[in-house]
Amino acid sequence: SNPTTVSASRCGPGTVTLSASGGTPGNYVWFNNLTDFIPIAGAVNDAYTTPVLSATTSFYVAIVSGSCVSGLVQAIATIN
């Protein structure tokens, strides 16, 4: 099944911690975008802290279970 995500926001530039649920820590895969499908190195848990952002940015997460991969679900890091 697909993960459930929680988007997050902050005021001004900085890091944002996004979270997902529905899988087992270590079995998540986070992505910067939907075009190159390159996983973010080391981002395998239910929480992902973004790099410093200065604009609202979408990230995507999937759950890997054996050889199966769930659908990608969007999580939005909003910069106000």
Side-chain angles (χ1 to χ4, degrees):
S1 62
N2 293 347
T4 300
T5 60
V6 178
S7 297
S9 62
R10 64 170 289 123
C11 187
T15 63
V16 178
T17 299
L18 304 171
S19 60
S21 60
T24 306
N27 287 353
Y28 292 89
V29 186
W30 291 84
F31 297 88
N32 285 310
N33 59 63
L34 293 177
T35 54
D36 59 17
F37 289 106
I38 298 171
I40 299 169
V44 296
N45 293 317
D46 54 351
Y48 170 65
T49 300
T50 71
V52 172
L53 302 173
S54 57
T56 296
T57 306
S58 293
F59 294 87
Y60 301 86
V61 62
I63 297 170
V64 178
S65 178
S67 60
C68 296
V69 179
S70 75
L72 289 168
V73 178
Q74 183 180 49
I76 302 171
T78 301
I79 306 299
N80 292 317

